[in-house]
Amino acid sequence: MLLIPAIDLKDGKCVRLQQGDMNASTTFGEDPAAMARRWLDAGARRLHLVDLNGAFAGKPVNEGAVKAILREVGDDIPVQLGGGIRDLDTIERYLDDGITSIIIGTAAVKSPGFLQDACTAFGGHIIVGLDARDGKVATDGWSKLTGHEVVDLALKFQDYGVDGVIYTDIGRDGMLSGINIDATVKLARALTMPVIASGGLSGMADIEALCDVEGEGISGVICGRSIYSGALDFAAAQKRADERGAAR
């Protein structure tokens, strides 16, 4: 089970939101590159970046901060990025900059043809972000709820050749209320591609619960507010997850 620290970028700073509300943000760092170094030094083996302004603007906004992070981590670990990525040129530019995987969320739902083109052009580098409330997919920085069922869309996108899916329960995100294990397992069981859990990670109990169901196809979990608030010790949690994996 891979624990993936999230660095959410708003106005060039590291923040965390509550339930995706840009007006309910907490700043955890002024220097994104220094934050990336912090998690790298703590043993992170992958980073998860989100351009929050970009997600709402529909185009990259925090590209400078993204590049600073990439300069800091170099080739040490893979970095995945989402937020405001709506065209193939932007994907190509970010991959050229050193991003490993591009996360497509809103555009995947609204323009499935774009997602299909992205998978064709950049196979192995495209992850879909499916954000949902009560099993229904949300778009546009979680501000709009669609009628699409998570599992149905994920199956369609799997056929396109995406590399995996990040499933976020937006009702829990940033609330430290616990990962929605049941919904994540339901999705993972329906797919052959890996699922990364996200939204509401509250502490070590969630890590243990995720390790219990790792065999269902859940490959990792995004760590946000829990590791910034101190509710979860990142290094200790990754060590525990590694021990659980070795014992399997």
Side-chain angles (χ1 to χ4, degrees), residues 38-192:
R38 171 185 169 184
W39 299 125
L40 193 64
D41 290 345
R45 300 199 286 268
R46 191 177 186 92
L47 288 178
H48 174 82
L49 311 185
V50 181
D51 181 347
L52 292 172
N53 302 103
F56 285 87
K59 61 183 180 181
V61 175
N62 287 286
E63 199 163 353
V66 171
K67 287 183 176 180
I69 289 170
L70 291 170
R71 285 194 297 270
E72 182 65 34
V73 304
D75 296 326
D76 291 345
I77 58 172
V79 178
Q80 60 193 41
L81 168 71
I85 300 169
R86 305 281 196 271
D87 59 71
L88 297 179
D89 287 343
T90 300
I91 295 175
E92 186 171 26
R93 189 169 74 249
Y94 272 135
L95 292 176
D96 286 345
D97 286 342
I99 292 293
T100 308
S101 298
I102 296 294
I103 304 160
I104 301 177
T106 293
V109 180
K110 290 186 164 184
S111 308
F114 162 62
L115 177 65
Q116 200 164 17
D117 289 344
C119 290
T120 300
F122 308 107
H125 295 283
I126 305 298
I127 299 172
V128 164
L130 289 178
D131 310 318
R133 191 190 301 275
D134 300 324
K136 302 291 186 183
V137 174
T139 62
D140 299 278
W142 304 351
S143 61
K144 298 177 182 176
L145 203 61
T146 73
H148 297 294
E149 293 284 345
V150 171
V151 172
D152 293 343
L153 270 186
L155 284 168
K156 182 167 82 169
F157 297 158
Q158 179 173 270
D159 289 341
Y160 291 173
V162 300
D163 210 38
V165 60
I166 298 171
Y167 173 67
T168 304
D169 185 323
I170 61 178
R172 300 183 183 222
D173 192 75
M175 305 303 289
L176 297 175
S177 55
I179 291 282
N180 189 335
I181 299 288
D182 291 345
T184 307
V185 168
K186 178 184 176 184
L187 178 61
R189 284 177 174 168
L191 304 172
T192 56

Side-chain angles (χ1 to χ4, degrees), residues 185-230:
V185 168
K186 178 184 176 184
L187 178 61
R189 284 177 174 168
L191 304 172
T192 56
M193 63 183 176
V195 173
I196 297 172
S198 174
L201 181 67
S202 60
M204 192 65 89
D206 277 329
I207 300 301
E208 297 283 4
L210 284 165
C211 287
D212 287 342
V213 295
E214 186 174 5
E216 301 287 358
I218 301 169
S219 64
V221 58
I222 306 296
C223 306
R225 185 173 292 270
S226 60
I227 58 174
Y228 288 96
S229 67

Side-chain angles (χ1 to χ4, degrees), residues 17-28:
L17 306 184
Q18 290 186 338
Q19 297 181 321
D21 184 353
M22 287 286 273
N23 296 314
S25 68
T26 304
T27 300
F28 284 102

